[in-house]
Amino acid sequence: MKQRILLLIVMTAVITTIQAQKKNKAAPGSTGYAITAVEKGGRSWKEVRQIDAASGAILKTIYDSKQETEALNARTGKPVLKKDNPVEKIYTRTLKTPPVEKKVVNSIMN
């Protein structure tokens, strides 16, 4: 009885693994996203690219750090308009420290 249950569990695991491998091979290509440098071996990782996981080839550049990006409103998706704020008048006041008075201590010498 124990052998039949063990055989059933092992066969279920093997069949499940085989089916999973077939589904992965039938996929039209696994892609992923990578944060990379502008050139290979660079230290400044600012680029976001879509890559093919099987070959490592770059499919598309999602974000290019050299391009000028436009700020968008997160709720509406519309561009954010920059408003010119009038320069606020800043009043400064110079504080003068009071002059230090010398204290004379009378001491009695014996």
Side-chain angles (χ1 to χ4, degrees):
M1 182 70 173
K2 290 180 183 178
Q3 291 176 349
R4 287 185 180 178
I5 293 174
L6 181 62
L7 179 64
L8 178 65
I9 292 172
V10 170
M11 290 307 293
T12 304
V14 169
I15 291 171
T16 304
T17 304
I18 291 171
Q19 292 297 324
Q21 293 297 323
K22 285 182 182 178
K23 287 182 182 177
N24 283 342
K25 289 180 182 176
S30 300
T31 60
Y33 296 92
I35 300 172
T36 63
V38 176
E39 66 276 339
K40 190 172 184 177
R43 294 183 182 199
S44 179
W45 291 14
K46 297 180 183 177
E47 310 290 317
V48 179
R49 296 181 174 138
Q50 185 177 12
I51 61 167
D52 182 18
S55 66
I58 298 171
L59 301 176
K60 183 168 96 173
T61 299
I62 306 297
Y63 174 75
D64 187 7
S65 64
K66 294 177 185 174
Q67 290 179 338
E68 190 68 30
T69 57
E70 186 176 26
L72 300 176
N73 186 331
R75 292 185 183 168
T76 62
K78 295 179 181 177
V80 176
L81 300 174
K82 293 182 180 180
K83 296 180 182 177
D84 292 331
N85 292 334
V87 178
E88 296 178 11
K89 293 182 180 179
I90 300 174
Y91 296 100
T92 59
R93 185 173 166 190
T94 305
L95 299 174
K96 293 183 180 180
T97 57
V100 178
E101 295 179 14
K102 293 183 180 178
K103 293 185 180 180
V104 176
V105 178
N106 294 330
S107 63
I108 303 174
M109 294 186 160
N110 292 348

